[in-house]
Amino acid sequence: MVLKPSTNNPGYDLDTGRVIERPKVIYNERTKKFVMWMHIDKNDYSYSRGGVAISDNPFGPYKYLGSVAPNNQMLRDMTLYKDDDGKAYLIYSSENNNTMHVCLLSDDYLTPTKTYTRILDDKGRESPAIFKNKGKYFLITSGCTGWSPNAASYAVADHIMGPWVERENPCKGLNANVSFFSQGAFVLPVANKPGKFIFMADRWNKTDLEKSTYLWLPIRVNNDEIEIYNHDKR
């Protein structure tokens, strides 16, 4: 356990009565700290903030520093991205999930800056998963259907702040219209294999969330197009 919760403290972000989703960790070479960001919310999703914690090593323990509404905007489903130049960005669903925001973080990765852009305007997208290949950025997202699966889509950009060009569903084949019964969570670059990426997704069990499973699939990248196939026929 890298970040301990509290109990019977409903005013505290990390209380067991709160919602904590999609934590991500990146390393800051300047401060020598591992920085974790996460979606902090209440059960009715009215809070919509980003929480941040730091540690000297990836396994914790992490010290919780508090939560923030970046530029006074909602933060719900989110991810972190650290670029080749060491700059880091928060990418998150905002404005009641109507838009996605890309926000530059401070040099220590602990604070959102005022440099941000609104993308996927009025598209109702969540669960952002971003990666970069040969200078192009790819952002895979899902629709907003609660715990039920839907069709993914993706967008491509030459610069992380945009403009982003929207594309169709990258999933191909049987059950592609429900993203193979999953929702994207992260894209993992394969170590020491440039151009190779793994699409990591949640298979939500909406009647028993703790029994949810995962789906990992390779991503095919061809210039500015991507495809994801599931060959197990499920």
Side-chain angles (χ1 to χ4, degrees):
M1 183 178 292
V2 298
L3 189 64
K4 291 185 178 181
S6 67
T7 57
N8 301 316
N9 187 7
Y12 182 50
D13 284 350
L14 303 186
D15 189 76
T16 52
R18 292 291 190 97
V19 172
I20 303 173
E21 297 179 333
R22 301 194 182 275
K24 303 292 188 298
V25 176
I26 53 177
Y27 180 67
N28 190 303
E29 279 84 3
R30 295 187 183 185
T31 63
K32 310 299 182 187
K33 297 289 185 182
F34 290 87
V35 180
M36 176 190 294
W37 279 86
M38 69 211 84
H39 169 209
I40 300 286
D41 227 314
K42 297 181 179 179
N43 288 332
D44 62 358
Y45 286 85
S46 63
Y47 196 54
S48 302
R49 294 168 69 91
V52 62
I54 58 173
S55 178
D56 291 328
N57 67 79
F59 300 105
Y62 283 76
K63 177 184 178 183
Y64 187 64
L65 302 181
S67 63
V68 64
N71 295 293
N72 295 315
Q73 299 282 354
M74 290 180 173
L75 181 150
R76 289 183 178 168
D77 269 13
M78 55 133 291
T79 194
L80 273 178
Y81 183 73
K82 181 180 175 181
D83 213 338
D84 302 331
D85 58 5
K87 293 183 179 179
Y89 300 83
L90 271 176
I91 299 100
Y92 53 94
S93 297
S94 193
E95 303 174 38
N96 284 312
N97 292 342
N98 287 323
T99 65
M100 197 76 67
H101 288 195
V102 181
C103 181
L104 174 68
L105 290 173
S106 57
D107 288 342
D108 59 10
Y109 303 167
L110 302 182
T111 308
T113 70
K114 294 183 179 180
T115 300
Y116 76 100
T117 187
R118 299 169 69 250
I119 66 174
L120 309 185
D121 192 16
D122 291 327
K123 297 299 181 180
R125 309 301 295 178
E126 62 181 10
S127 67
I130 188 172
F131 69 100
K132 184 179 183 180
N133 185 61
K134 296 182 179 179
K136 289 190 179 292
Y137 299 85
F138 297 84
L139 180 66
I140 303 172
T141 62
S142 86
C144 299
T145 53
W147 303 111
S148 300
N150 57 67
S153 67
Y154 74 101
V156 185
D158 291 323
H159 304 282
I160 194 167
M161 302 301 283
W164 289 82
V165 178
E166 297 175 52
R167 297 284 175 81
E168 70 285 348
N169 188 355
C171 299
K172 307 297 179 183
L174 184 66
N175 297 317
N177 62 318
V178 286
S179 304
F180 316 123
F181 302 104
S182 74
Q183 183 184 43
F186 194 73
V187 174
L188 180 69
V190 179
N192 302 316
K193 291 188 177 182
K196 301 294 184 180
F197 303 90
I198 298 172
F199 176 66
M200 307 171 73
D202 294 296
R203 273 186 163 169
W204 299 118
N205 181 341
K206 59 185 177 181
T207 61
D208 192 347
L209 288 175
E210 291 187 6
K211 292 185 179 178
S212 299
T213 58
Y214 301 98
L215 180 70
W216 290 21
L217 293 171
I219 298 176
R220 297 181 185 178
V221 185
N222 183 16
N223 295 320
D224 63 350
E225 297 183 353
I226 63 174
E227 294 179 335
I228 304 169
Y229 288 87
N230 183 20
H231 295 293
D232 70 359
K233 307 303 180 185
R234 286 181 291 172

